[in-house]
Amino acid sequence: MSATGGLSRRERQILDILYQRGKASAGDVREAMADAPSYSSVRTLLRVLEEKGHVKHKADGLKYVYYPAVARERARRSAVKHLLETFFGGSPEQIVASLLDVSSTRLSGEELDRMARMIEAAKKEGK
């Protein structure tokens, strides 16, 4: 399965809902969407997500229940790897610098300290 980089805004929105809920019918997904498209559009989007390998379904009585095909953490790692390779030439330093540049005013001292500890732990693991 590829990263979520190739998904439309609506597809990402649906996938987010499924990750939050664990599973949901097309009607449940539509109810949870802001500015929701028609029910048939939601079903079509779910079918497209299934064809792309992001979603699976199972029958639950007369309706289908949809759920993510890949664990959120695995999808997150795949998306970050895709982002790293596509936009940052595979350089973790460049992606961190961009994150700090974009987020610097929103990061608390505690968050920066946690990030520094993660970097220190990565240094120790690399030795």
Side-chain angles (χ1 to χ4, degrees), residues 43-108:
R43 288 196 47 180
T44 298
L45 288 164
L46 284 162
R47 190 169 49 251
V48 168
L49 283 167
E50 191 164 20
E51 289 169 4
K52 290 181 176 182
H54 295 283
V55 170
K56 293 182 180 181
H57 78 271
K58 61 184 172 186
D60 184 12
L62 298 175
K63 63 183 176 182
Y64 285 159
V65 174
Y66 296 86
Y67 55 94
V70 176
R72 186 174 213 151
E73 186 57 35
R74 183 171 163 209
R76 181 181 295 146
R77 282 193 306 271
S78 177
V80 169
K81 183 178 178 188
H82 174 75
L83 184 71
L84 182 66
E85 292 169 358
T86 303
F87 296 102
F88 297 95
S91 170
E93 180 182 356
Q94 287 182 18
I95 199 170
V96 169
S98 290
L99 286 170
L100 290 172
D101 182 48
V102 170
S103 305
S104 62
T105 59
R106 293 185 302 236
L107 291 171
S108 70

